[in-house]
Amino acid sequence: MSDTAPPAPPAAALPPDARRAVALVVGVVATVAFVALRVAVDIGNRAPFPIDEWWHGLMVASASDPITTLARIPATVGGTIGMIITGIVVILLFLWRRRPWDAATLAAAMVFVVAIGTTLAAVIARVRPADSMAENNATSFPSGHTAVATTVALILALLLRRWYVWVLGACWVLAMMWSRTYLRAHWLSDVTAGMLEGIAVTCLVWCAIEAYRDRRARRRSALASAVTD
């Protein structure tokens, strides 16, 4: 009888993340809700909804110089330059921590959400409130600031798996939605659409990359098993 032990079997591929099914459902629901809202805007000839007018009136009635200064903080930090810098810093941190897939997930989600949102805003050409204290171009729907803020917050929550990241992310998204409507740069339905777009893109991109990583791990496991056999 030989004393040589048989070769150890290759490590099995990691089981799929149990959150993936939930994220997929949330992503699909958010997509449907976003499309429905976009159709409603078209049916309404791109005019604000009654709830938009109501919320806009509340923002106007609560206007003050100190609060306006406060509202400009999320809008500035979450603007184009601010989010590009934030995205690059976070991606570099992931790479430094040897988490290239997480860096790729964040980069892909940000690129997709900006590309989709910018294109739709130009095509829909919804006019901003006439008394906007920020941008005045007719690209109100959806809110790009809110879409990107939602994307970054949700991606970090999914990747880092810490409860406080979820809480901070939710606070950041709500602050951005309030900021953009307080500055009268968007209607309430614009920022709602931006949030839905961010949720949809983030969940679907994360699910797609996780599924690819899972298939890649299974192929490697099968190849290693064939070699040892």
Side-chain angles (χ1 to χ4, degrees), residues 91-109:
I91 289 169
L92 290 176
L93 285 173
F94 276 136
L95 292 175
W96 177 62
R97 295 296 301 272
R98 297 182 181 180
R99 298 175 66 168
W101 284 106
D102 291 346
T105 301
L106 176 59

Side-chain angles (χ1 to χ4, degrees), residues 9-103:
L14 293 176
D17 192 325
R19 302 173 302 163
R20 194 190 307 167
V22 176
L24 182 59
V25 171
V26 171
V28 171
V29 170
T31 300
V32 172
F34 175 83
V35 171
L37 186 53
R38 188 256 185 273
V39 171
V41 168
D42 254 358
I43 293 175
N45 200 26
R46 301 175 178 81
F49 303 131
I51 193 171
D52 290 330
E53 299 280 11
W54 170 77
W55 183 259
H56 184 77
L58 287 182
M59 297 298 98
V60 172
S62 62
S64 71
D65 289 340
I67 300 180
T68 299
T69 301
L70 181 64
R72 292 191 185 278
I73 295 175
T76 301
V77 175
T80 303
I81 296 177
M83 291 316 300
I84 288 175
I85 293 174
T86 300
I88 291 174
V89 169
V90 176
I91 289 169
L92 290 176
L93 285 173
F94 276 136
L95 292 175
W96 177 62
R97 295 296 301 272
R98 297 182 181 180
R99 298 175 66 168
W101 284 106
D102 291 346

